[in-house]
Amino acid sequence: GTIVSRIHSLYDGERARKIQLLEQAASVALTGDNWTSVSNDNYLGVTAHFIDNVWKLRSFALEVKKKNIRDIQRRTVQRNSSTSQTDGR
């Protein structure tokens, strides 16, 4: 197959393996990491951490997303204005 189809196949296999590991975990801790790139773009990464059935620490990224700071600011303003309306401020 093409390189693209091979990459998709590898991704699908790895994703299925990660899902299976998460389903078998007794507990999972999640961490979030925010950072800004050199071009001033904001990102949020979410990582899962757990100890598997042979006591090996496992950690892997679940998702990394570029965050639009204007959307975050708009939601914060909306949340704050709805809070101030409900508590009489």
Side-chain angles (χ1 to χ4, degrees), residues 4 8-9 12-13 40 42 50-52 58 65-66 71 74-75 79-80 85:
V4 173
H8 284 290
S9 178
D12 291 342
N40 215 28
N42 294 294
F50 60 95
I51 297 174
D52 69 12
R58 303 281 189 141
K65 279 196 141 181
K66 183 177 179 182
D71 287 343
R74 179 181 44 77
R75 285 193 302 267
R79 188 175 325 121
N80 289 341
Q85 290 172 3

Side-chain angles (χ1 to χ4, degrees), residues 1-69:
T2 67
I3 294 291
V4 173
S5 66
R6 293 178 78 187
I7 290 171
H8 284 290
S9 178
L10 287 170
Y11 171 84
D12 291 342
E14 190 65 19
R15 183 176 186 274
R17 192 173 74 79
K18 301 290 191 212
I19 289 170
Q20 183 179 27
L21 287 170
L22 287 169
E23 287 173 342
Q24 294 171 352
S27 297
V28 177
L30 300 176
T31 57
D33 185 27
N34 288 290
W35 70 93
T36 304
S37 70
V38 293
S39 60
N40 215 28
D41 294 322
N42 294 294
Y43 291 88
L44 170 65
V46 178
T47 304
H49 311 271
F50 60 95
I51 297 174
D52 69 12
N53 58 356
V54 294
W55 292 91
K56 180 178 179 184
L57 176 62
R58 303 281 189 141
S59 295
F60 48 83
L62 296 177
E63 185 155 13
V64 176
K65 279 196 141 181
K66 183 177 179 182
K67 302 304 287 182
N68 183 333
I69 195 68

